[in-house]
Structure formats: C-alpha cells, structure tokens
Amino acid sequence: MEAGGQPAAPHVSVILPVHNAEAWLDECLRSVLQQDFEGSMELSVFNDASKDKSMTIIEKWKVKLEDSGILVVIGGHDSPSPRGVGYSKNQAIAQSSGSYLCFLDSDDAMMPQRVRLQHEAAVRHPTSIIGCQVRREPPNSTERYTRWINQLASDQLLTQVFTSHGPTVVMPTWFCSREWFSHVGPFDEGGQGVPEDLLFFYSHLRKGGGVVRVDQSLLIYRYHPKAATHSVLETTIWTHRVRFLEERALPHWAAFTIWNAGRQGRRLYRSLTAESRRKVVAFCDVDENKIKKGFYSYEDSEERPKPRVPILHFRAARPPFVICVKLDLTGGAFEDNLRSLHLQEGRDFLHFS
C-alpha cells in the first residue's frame, strides 16, 4: 500500500477488448492467470456490446484472477451495435492504471512468460513497441504471413513497414509503456473498416518510435474468418500505405525504379502523386514479354505528352527500387535475383507488396 491506504498502481495492465468472444475467452483468460511475471498485474476488459455469454465468462474468471492477486477492471456498454476495436482499446486503456500496456485479443492466448519477457524488453526500450514471435492456430492457415512475422531481421522491422502485411510486429503482440502510448495515441475510433493498428503504427514511427521483437513465441495467434481484420478494405489500406511511402521514403530519392511491370507495379505508379510519378525513371522485370513492350504509357495522365516509362530487365535497371513483387511466392527465384545485386535494404530498395 502507498501512503493514504491507496494501493500502488500495477506495473502491467493487460488490455482486452471483447466482442462476442465466448468461444475463446476461457483459454484467453486462463493464459492471463498463468503468467509467471512477478510484478503486479491488472486485467482491463472492455465489453463492446457482446450479445453472447462473454460477460458471464469474464465474471467467473474475475474471481479466480483476483484470488491470485490480479486486479480486474471491467467496463463496457450494451448498445445495439459495437463501437469497434479502436474505441474498445482506448476505453480499456483509459480505465486501467498500469505503467505498461500489454495488448491481448480475446481470441488469442499468451504463453506464461509473455508479460515477463516483454516487460523486460520495454524497460530497456521505453520508446519502442515490443512484439514477439507467434504460433499460428490453425498452423497452416497463413504460412507466408506467419513466416514473415517470425523471421524478419531486427533492421527489417523498420525497413519493411510499407508492405501489405502491415505492422512489422502484429498488434495482438504489442507491449509498450503507458507514457509512450499517450505520446503516440489514442487509436482511431472510426470503427469497422478502419485499420486502427496500422494508423497507430505509422504515427508511432513518425514520432521516432522503435520496433523490437522478443524472439520467442509468446502468443497463440488465432486465424478465423470472423476476425475484425477482415472488415478493412484492401483499397483503404493501399491508400494509407502509398501515402506513408511518399511521406517517409520517396523524399530521400531523386529518382527510383518500380520492380514489377505487371499489375501491382502499374497500380503503384498510378496511385502516386504527380510529383512522385515524375521520379519513376523505369519499371523493371524478368518477364521478357513485358520487357519487349519497351515502355509503359500512362493513358490516364493529364500531362501532354503522356508519360512513357521504360520497361527494363532488372539487371539493366538502376536502384533504388520500390519492389512490388510479393515475397516468398516464387520458390526463391525473385529473392535470388535481388540478392545477386548486392543491395542494401532501406537504402537501395524497399518492399511495397
């Protein structure tokens, strides 16, 4: 107890937004109870208009958790419809009091050492988002994405922030100090269709935040079609990604080449501002049919004459490259080609796909 009989604020608040999660909550809450962290912990639950038995399950676990010394704070609303993940996370954070925030999704489960190991990392890196490796359930549901999450090198956590995979440490693994969250946040509360974690991650990077991953699998990360992630339109995310690329990377380059003369490369070119488009000196590719065309003519351009961008073989093209080829899909052929050029990621090329 602190002076005046007030209990000291907990070290770590586990932030748990809940919406119709009865199928997974027992496993999720058991994983909170089983943490081996020796500091004080609190669970902050915000129920976003659940219509199933989620609240009954939470009340049952509240007793067990508080018996073991974990304070439980429960908030929520029972309006006809949910307010969304951004709103729920902000509410769960506002009603909590820990010095550190450990984000948890109601359909996931933590390994016993998660809070301890991420807390240690967060103390060492006070302005970073701390992530971790994950175990995907079911194991074969998103093999490329899971490999990407678990195998990025530490410098790639900052260079691969433009890809369609989104944040280089996935949101349900995030852990950070409350002070840093307050500096960056809160989450966007636009509701369904808003990529609130991506927008927060971009804001975090703009403010000079770091990205650190604990290289142990500390979360069972569940994939199922009902997941909120699926409600965000790909075109919405694409637009945010292009603008972030233009803001963070392209100002450093006087000219660049788009690697992929196919659909994705052309789509990126068309999505750029006129100023950024003027920096595109070429497309490059390995496909002889595309290279034979000689150039790409941008028919929708307002400019006269319409821009004609050369299409080159990748060995004839000049870095820096914005790469619009999906990784890990060509049996290693693309990766071998890229490695053969002996370029430095970040300085000479960036992945956008």
Side-chain angles (χ1 to χ4, degrees):
M1 289 275 178
E2 284 181 349
Q6 285 298 309
H11 290 123
V12 176
S13 296
V14 176
I15 302 302
L16 182 65
V18 171
H19 173 67
N20 292 347
E22 64 180 8
W24 310 284
L25 267 174
D26 279 314
E27 188 183 353
C28 176
L29 295 170
R30 183 176 296 109
S31 80
V32 175
L33 183 65
Q34 291 174 342
Q35 291 302 299
D36 64 15
F37 177 61
E38 292 189 348
S40 53
M41 260 171 68
E42 153 187 272
L43 172 67
S44 177
V45 179
F46 189 82
N47 170 38
D48 188 19
S50 294
K51 302 290 180 249
D52 63 357
K53 296 194 178 68
S54 291
M55 281 314 295
T56 311
I57 298 167
I58 290 160
E59 292 293 351
K60 174 187 78 179
W61 279 96
K62 182 180 196 288
V63 179
K64 294 182 190 178
L65 289 160
E66 294 199 325
D67 283 350
S68 76
I70 298 169
L71 183 68
V72 180
V73 184
I74 301 172
H77 68 100
D78 54 6
S79 315
S81 54
R83 295 277 299 271
V85 188
Y87 173 81
S88 302
K89 283 190 284 224
N90 288 338
Q91 291 296 316
I93 291 162
Q95 70 188 17
S96 73
S97 53
S99 308
Y100 291 87
L101 307 175
C102 174
F103 292 90
L104 180 61
D105 280 1
S106 56
D107 50 357
D108 298 330
M110 304 190 280
M111 308 301 182
Q113 66 276 36
R114 179 186 172 190
V115 169
R116 173 171 56 86
L117 294 179
Q118 288 194 303
H119 177 261
E120 284 169 11
V123 170
R124 288 197 304 272
H125 303 278
T127 62
S128 287
I129 290 176
I130 314 297
C132 63
Q133 293 174 325
V134 300
R135 195 177 94 208
R136 198 61 151 150
E137 288 290 332
N140 58 354
S141 51
T142 58
E143 291 176 75
R144 276 180 62 244
Y145 180 47
T146 306
R147 266 197 301 276
W148 183 81
I149 293 167
N150 288 337
Q151 293 176 9
L152 284 174
S154 61
D155 54 340
Q156 290 177 316
L157 296 173
L158 287 174
T159 57
Q160 294 211 7
V161 296
F162 305 104
T163 78
S164 57
H165 287 322
T168 47
V169 287
V170 291
M171 204 276 118
T173 71
W174 287 3
F175 191 111
C176 66
S177 75
R178 175 181 298 275
E179 192 177 344
W180 183 252
F181 176 84
S182 303
H183 178 61
V184 175
F187 287 105
D188 187 295
E189 296 189 357
Q192 193 168 23
V194 172
E196 81 291 329
D197 54 347
L198 185 69
L199 297 179
F200 184 93
F201 188 67
Y202 285 171
S203 178
H204 161 78
L205 294 171
R206 283 186 188 107
K207 295 196 173 181
V211 185
V212 173
R213 188 183 66 218
V214 174
D215 281 336
Q216 289 190 43
S217 181
L218 302 180
L219 186 79
I220 296 169
Y221 181 36
R222 205 179 306 279
Y223 175 84
H224 53 92
K226 279 207 188 81
T229 329
H230 304 313
S231 70
V232 181
L233 284 173
E234 189 272 343
T235 47
T236 304
I237 291 182
W238 174 273
T239 306
H240 287 302
R241 288 170 52 220
V242 172
R243 294 299 158 255
F244 194 63
L245 179 78
E246 291 188 307
E247 174 197 324
R248 301 283 297 182
L250 301 188
H252 301 292
W253 294 342
F256 66 96
T257 300
I258 294 176
W259 189 318
N260 185 353
R263 202 164 51 90
Q264 283 292 84
R266 297 195 308 266
R267 181 185 181 197
L268 173 61
Y269 178 83
R270 291 194 306 270
S271 303
L272 296 170
T273 61
E275 185 189 354
S276 300
R277 272 200 300 272
R278 282 193 281 275
K279 292 183 174 185
V280 179
V281 288
F283 288 92
C284 73
D285 214 294
V286 290
D287 181 339
E288 291 299 339
N289 292 326
K290 292 189 187 118
I291 296 163
K292 262 191 219 131
K293 286 184 183 140
F295 60 86
Y296 166 68
S297 178
Y298 181 41
E299 294 302 332
D300 295 339
S301 176
E302 305 286 300
E303 291 179 47
R304 294 293 176 272
K306 290 179 180 172
R308 285 157 61 104
V309 185
I311 300 174
L312 308 173
H313 188 276
F314 78 90
R315 293 208 183 279
R318 297 204 13 222
F321 298 104
V322 175
I323 296 175
C324 293
V325 178
K326 288 221 183 282
L327 292 168
D328 202 10
L329 270 185
T330 56
F334 164 72
E335 287 79 0
D336 289 345
N337 287 338
L338 183 58
R339 264 193 301 275
S340 74
L341 299 177
H342 305 291
L343 302 173
Q344 183 185 322
E345 187 165 356
R347 186 194 67 191
D348 302 322
F349 70 91
L350 288 168
H351 287 286
F352 189 73
S353 262

